[in-house]
Amino acid sequence: MPLTIRVPADDTRERHVCDACGSIHYQNPRNVVGTIPIHQRQVLLCRRAIEPRLGFWTLPAGFMELGESTTAGAARETYEEAGAIVEIGPLYSLLNVPHAEQVHLFYLATMSNPHFEAGEESLEVALFDEKDIPWSEIAFATVKQTLEWYFADRAAGLFEGSGELSVRSRDISRHDKS
């Protein structure tokens, strides 16, 4: 059946509406969930084996699946991309990416051991000290921003106490560079 773009009754936005039955076909942002996997002060990064940004480094992350929580999705993506089993900690960053119709959520995560291996979507996986992060080869602005916040907060001692961290958040525009 044909769809028409119009503002349905009791709504304020244009939507795709079925002309035959009146059903509204909502289009909403996709959630990208991932982790900042830490092992003894090093961060685990994956070199992408797929587009977009083939060959660039990223935190393990991907699209949340139906029927899973954000934490379960983040743990799954970490295992699929990096072969690492992590203990999920608190939500650390939430980045809105309106031009890509996405919301990125990154959780702090602890690796109990240094076992990891490249999954199908990764060319290689490695643990990095802060000084060795390949900043010019980071795949996405959301990952770069999350890593910058993480290292600044660690340097400020914010992970040392038992106080609760605030979730870091901002909007990423198409002009933000990775």
Side-chain angles (χ1 to χ4, degrees):
M1 288 292 159
L3 298 178
T4 302
I5 299 175
R6 61 184 164 91
V7 178
D10 300 324
D11 205 337
T12 59
R13 292 180 154 265
E14 287 187 336
R15 311 279 184 191
H16 291 83
V17 181
C18 177
D19 292 334
C21 69
S23 290
I24 301 169
H25 296 264
Y26 292 97
Q27 295 182 330
N28 301 106
R30 297 171 306 249
N31 291 320
V32 172
V33 293
T35 62
I36 309 163
I38 306 300
H39 182 68
Q40 298 179 352
R41 296 185 57 86
Q42 292 183 309
V43 175
L44 187 69
L45 296 178
C46 305
R47 187 184 293 267
R48 292 178 57 82
I50 59 172
E51 292 291 355
R53 309 292 283 162
L54 173 70
F56 284 78
W57 291 94
T58 188
L59 290 166
F63 292 111
M64 183 176 162
E65 298 290 347
L66 295 176
E68 73 181 355
S69 67
T70 56
T71 54
R76 175 186 52 77
E77 286 289 344
T78 302
Y79 184 74
E80 286 178 2
E81 294 185 5
I85 296 173
V86 293
E87 180 179 328
I88 299 291
L91 178 62
Y92 182 73
S93 68
L94 186 154
L95 299 120
N96 298 297
V97 192
H99 64 277
E101 300 172 340
Q102 298 174 0
V103 177
H104 293 206
L105 299 96
F106 289 97
Y107 288 86
L108 292 174
T110 304
M111 297 171 61
S112 60
N113 63 61
H115 175 76
F116 53 86
E117 61 188 9
E120 287 187 25
E121 296 182 1
S122 299
L123 295 170
E124 63 180 303
V125 182
L127 286 166
F128 289 90
D129 289 316
E130 179 180 4
K131 66 181 176 46
D132 298 322
I133 296 287
W135 291 106
S136 65
E137 298 175 46
I138 297 297
F140 305 107
T142 55
V143 171
K144 182 179 180 195
Q145 178 65 82
T146 295
L147 288 170
E148 288 172 346
W149 280 332
Y150 173 77
F151 288 119
D153 287 349
R154 188 172 81 178
L158 296 182
F159 301 120
E160 304 302 321
S162 59
E164 195 164 316
L165 286 171
S166 296
V167 174
R168 307 296 181 258
S169 183
R170 72 174 272 240
D171 293 348
I172 300 290
S173 79
R174 69 177 71 250
H175 306 293
D176 285 307
K177 301 291 183 204
S178 49

